[in-house]
Amino acid sequence: MKMVIAYTRHEAFEPIRMELLELGFPSLSISEVKGSGRQKGITEHYRGSSVTNYLRPKIKIECVVADKDVQTIVDTVLKHARTGSIGDGKVFISSIEEAIRIRTEEKGDEAL
Ligand SMILES: Nc1ncnc2c1ncn2[C@@H]1O[C@H](COP(=O)(O)OP(=O)(O)OP(=O)(O)O)[C@@H](O)[C@H]1O
Ligand SMILES: [Mg+2]
């Protein structure tokens, strides 16, 4: 099993969620996070003073799937999150050792 972790713009989440649902992946978690990437921040100018926001709001999506499904999840995220502009986000993939459905004690892929 793998966990796909994606940091995306807020606008990208709903299309990603809908397509994952249609593809048979209804299970995921999200959180609203703040982060910075290579640009480190955005400076806005207002009447002579400038304010730099070092952290930008992002949606963090966590989706644990069987190894064979990782590419489908990644492709779906890329399809909806890429605008070509800076700040589109990033995807990380990590290994998950075990999953257990609490209600039934099903384990591994069966629990997803
Ligand atoms: N190495 C990282 N570790 C943890 N979180 C990260 C990392 N890189 C990016 N993020 C998260 O992803 C969000 C979006 O990153 P962002 O798309 O700006 O990356 P970037 O490397 O600056 O690429 P780009 O040049 O396309 O903007 C960040 O605000 C942060 O929440
Ligand atoms: Mg950036």
Side-chain angles (χ1 to χ4, degrees), residues 7 33-39 56 58 85-90 92:
Y7 295 90
V33 299
K34 291 184 176 179
S36 65
R38 290 186 297 188
Q39 289 74 28
R56 308 293 304 158
K58 295 287 170 188
S85 300
I86 59 174
D88 275 353
K90 214 170 272 187
F92 299 96

Coordinates of all heavy atoms in Angstrom, one line a residue, residues 7 33-39 56 58 85-90 92, ligand 1:
Y7 N -0.4 18.3 -2.2 CA -0.7 19.7 -1.7 C -1.1 20.4 -3.0 O -0.4 20.5 -4.0 CB 0.6 20.4 -1.2 CG 1.1 19.7 0.0 CD1 2.1 18.7 0.0 CD2 0.7 20.1 1.3 CE1 2.5 18.1 1.1 CE2 1.2 19.5 2.5 CZ 2.1 18.5 2.4 OH 2.5 17.9 3.5
V33 N -4.0 23.4 5.0 CA -2.7 23.7 5.6 C -2.2 25.0 5.0 O -2.7 25.6 4.1 CB -1.7 22.5 5.2 CG1 -2.2 21.2 5.8 CG2 -1.5 22.4 3.7
K34 N -1.1 25.4 5.6 CA -0.4 26.6 5.0 C 1.1 26.1 4.7 O 1.6 25.3 5.5 CB -0.3 27.7 5.9 CG -1.7 28.4 6.1 CD -1.6 29.6 7.0 CE -3.0 30.3 7.0 NZ -3.0 31.4 7.9
G35 N 1.6 26.5 3.6 CA 3.0 26.1 3.3 C 3.7 27.1 2.4 O 3.1 28.1 2.0
S36 N 4.9 26.8 2.2 CA 5.7 27.6 1.2 C 6.5 26.7 0.3 O 6.8 25.6 0.7 CB 6.6 28.6 1.9 OG 7.6 27.9 2.6
G37 N 6.7 27.1 -0.9 CA 7.5 26.4 -1.9 C 8.7 27.2 -2.2 O 9.2 28.0 -1.4
R38 N 9.2 27.1 -3.4 CA 10.4 27.7 -3.8 C 10.3 29.2 -3.8 O 11.3 29.9 -3.6 CB 10.8 27.3 -5.2 CG 11.3 25.9 -5.3 CD 11.8 25.5 -6.7 NE 10.8 25.6 -7.7 CZ 10.9 25.3 -8.9 NH1 12.1 24.7 -9.3 NH2 10.0 25.4 -9.8
Q39 N 9.1 29.8 -4.0 CA 9.0 31.2 -4.1 C 9.0 31.9 -2.7 O 9.1 33.1 -2.6 CB 7.7 31.6 -4.8 CG 7.7 31.4 -6.3 CD 7.5 29.9 -6.6 OE1 6.9 29.1 -5.8 NE2 8.1 29.4 -7.7
R56 N 1.3 30.2 2.1 CA 0.1 30.2 1.3 C -0.9 29.1 1.7 O -0.4 28.0 2.1 CB 0.5 30.0 -0.2 CG 1.6 30.9 -0.7 CD 1.1 32.3 -0.8 NE -0.1 32.5 -1.6 CZ -0.9 33.6 -1.5 NH1 -0.7 34.5 -0.6 NH2 -2.0 33.6 -2.3
K58 N -3.1 25.9 1.3 CA -3.2 24.8 0.4 C -4.1 23.8 1.0 O -4.4 23.7 2.2 CB -1.8 24.2 0.2 CG -0.8 25.0 -0.5 CD -1.1 25.2 -2.0 CE -0.2 26.3 -2.5 NZ -0.5 26.7 -3.9
S85 N 1.1 27.3 -13.7 CA 1.6 28.5 -13.0 C 2.3 28.0 -11.7 O 2.0 26.9 -11.2 CB 0.5 29.4 -12.6 OG -0.2 29.9 -13.7
I86 N 3.2 28.9 -11.2 CA 3.8 28.6 -9.9 C 2.8 28.4 -8.8 O 1.7 29.0 -8.9 CB 4.9 29.6 -9.5 CG1 4.2 31.0 -9.3 CG2 6.0 29.7 -10.5 CD1 5.1 32.0 -8.8
G87 N 3.1 27.5 -7.9 CA 2.1 27.2 -6.8 C 1.1 26.1 -7.1 O 0.1 26.0 -6.3
D88 N 1.3 25.4 -8.2 CA 0.3 24.3 -8.5 C 0.3 23.2 -7.5 O -0.6 22.5 -7.3 CB 0.6 23.7 -9.9 CG 0.0 24.4 -11.0 OD1 -0.8 25.4 -10.8 OD2 0.3 24.1 -12.2
G89 N 1.5 23.1 -6.8 CA 1.5 22.1 -5.7 C 2.5 21.0 -5.9 O 3.3 21.1 -6.8
K90 N 2.4 20.0 -5.1 CA 3.3 18.9 -5.2 C 2.7 17.6 -4.7 O 1.8 17.6 -3.9 CB 4.5 19.3 -4.3 CG 5.9 18.8 -4.8 CD 7.0 19.4 -4.0 CE 7.4 20.7 -4.6 NZ 8.7 21.2 -3.9
F92 N 3.6 13.7 -3.0 CA 4.6 12.8 -2.4 C 3.9 11.5 -2.3 O 2.7 11.3 -2.1 CB 4.9 13.3 -1.0 CG 5.6 14.7 -1.0 CD1 4.8 15.8 -0.7 CD2 6.9 14.8 -1.2 CE1 5.4 17.1 -0.7 CE2 7.5 16.1 -1.2 CZ 6.8 17.2 -1.0
Ligands
LIG1 N1 9.4 19.8 0.0 C1 8.2 20.1 0.5 N2 7.9 19.5 1.7 C2 6.6 19.7 2.2 N3 5.7 20.4 1.7 C3 6.0 21.0 0.5 C4 7.2 20.8 -0.2 N4 7.2 21.5 -1.3 C5 6.0 22.0 -1.4 N5 5.2 21.7 -0.4 C6 3.9 22.2 -0.1 O1 3.3 22.4 -1.4 C7 2.8 23.7 -1.5 C8 2.9 24.2 -2.9 O2 4.2 24.2 -3.3 P1 4.6 24.9 -4.7 O3 3.7 24.4 -5.7 O4 4.7 26.3 -4.5 O5 6.0 24.2 -4.9 P2 7.3 24.8 -5.7 O6 8.4 23.8 -5.5 O7 7.5 26.2 -5.3 O8 6.8 24.7 -7.2 P3 6.4 25.9 -8.2 O9 7.6 26.5 -8.7 O10 5.6 25.2 -9.2 O11 5.6 26.8 -7.3 C9 3.6 24.5 -0.5 O12 2.8 25.6 -0.1 C10 3.7 23.5 0.6 O13 2.5 23.4 1.4

